[in-house]
Amino acid sequence: MSYCSLRRRQPLVPTVLAGLLLAACAQPAPEAPRPPPGKSNAAMVEEIRAAGERDKSVISVHPLVDPGIVALQDAARQDERNGQYQAAAAKLDLALKRNPEAPDVMQDRAEVAIYLGDFQLAEKLAHQSWTLGSKQGPLCARNWQTIVELRLQAHDQAGAASASKWVGECREAGIQRL
């Protein structure tokens, strides 16, 4: 091979290498694995309500209620059963305007917020409900189970585990009598 023929082939090598490098860059990167889909919004609300039903505390606080607020809560539950979550939210918002410190109404509204996919509002309302509530009994368990479900939805295992411990703290055991 002569020097001239070798000289003609050298420019091809860098050109081919440059082309291969550019082709490698143009390939799409492998897609990162997606986390498994979480529970449906309805399944989260079922878990929250089940936590309240499972709570067997000796203390279950039922504050005096305004019949107008109870009527709004009942109508909101009916809307919820019919899948009319916006209407249910509007009724509960009206109840909260009448009594902005009603922890049970706040928790009901948090659960409707979950149906609507407004997880940030749901968590805020559950915290407020717990702060204003008795911190024991079924409402407390629903408050903390709401946090558990929302932390799981956000893939925050540590937050969910911490909130899960608080669900257990809502239970007030009775006195052992001999």
Side-chain angles (χ1 to χ4, degrees):
M1 203 183 265
S2 73
Y3 173 76
C4 290
S5 63
L6 189 61
R7 179 80 175 138
R8 285 186 194 133
R9 289 187 185 167
Q10 280 181 341
L12 276 177
V13 173
T15 304
V16 171
L17 284 175
L20 289 173
L21 288 173
L22 285 174
C25 291
Q27 304 246 341
E31 202 172 307
R34 292 185 179 173
K39 293 178 187 172
S40 70
N41 296 356
M44 289 193 306
V45 173
E46 285 176 27
E47 288 289 330
I48 292 164
R49 292 181 178 162
E53 291 170 13
R54 281 190 304 267
D55 186 274
K56 301 295 183 207
S57 294
V58 294
I59 297 175
S60 183
V61 177
H62 298 282
L64 295 175
V65 293
D66 175 343
I69 290 176
V70 172
L72 286 167
Q73 285 179 291
D74 290 343
R77 281 188 205 98
Q78 184 61 42
D79 286 341
E80 183 186 316
R81 281 190 292 275
N82 293 330
Q84 298 171 336
Y85 304 120
Q86 288 290 350
K91 287 175 177 74
L92 292 170
D93 288 342
L94 185 57
L96 284 170
K97 281 184 182 175
R98 290 181 71 165
N99 185 359
E101 295 188 350
D104 59 329
V105 178
M106 282 182 192
Q107 181 59 35
D108 289 347
R109 181 61 178 90
E111 292 165 13
V112 171
I114 290 173
Y115 278 121
L116 293 170
D118 191 346
F119 301 142
Q120 186 174 10
L121 176 62
E123 188 163 350
K124 176 185 165 199
L125 288 169
H127 275 290
Q128 286 178 329
S129 174
W130 182 80
T131 300
L132 294 169
S134 67
K135 297 175 185 52
Q136 293 177 323
L139 180 61
C140 174
R142 286 172 54 207
N143 296 150
W144 283 106
Q145 189 65 39
T146 300
I147 307 303
V148 169
E149 296 300 326
L150 295 172
R151 294 293 86 222
L152 288 172
Q153 183 71 21
H155 305 291
D156 175 6
Q157 298 301 323
S162 175
S164 185
K165 290 178 186 171
W166 281 97
V167 172
E169 294 294 317
C170 293
R171 185 176 179 281
E172 183 65 32
I175 299 171
Q176 294 289 339
R177 300 186 189 257
L178 300 173

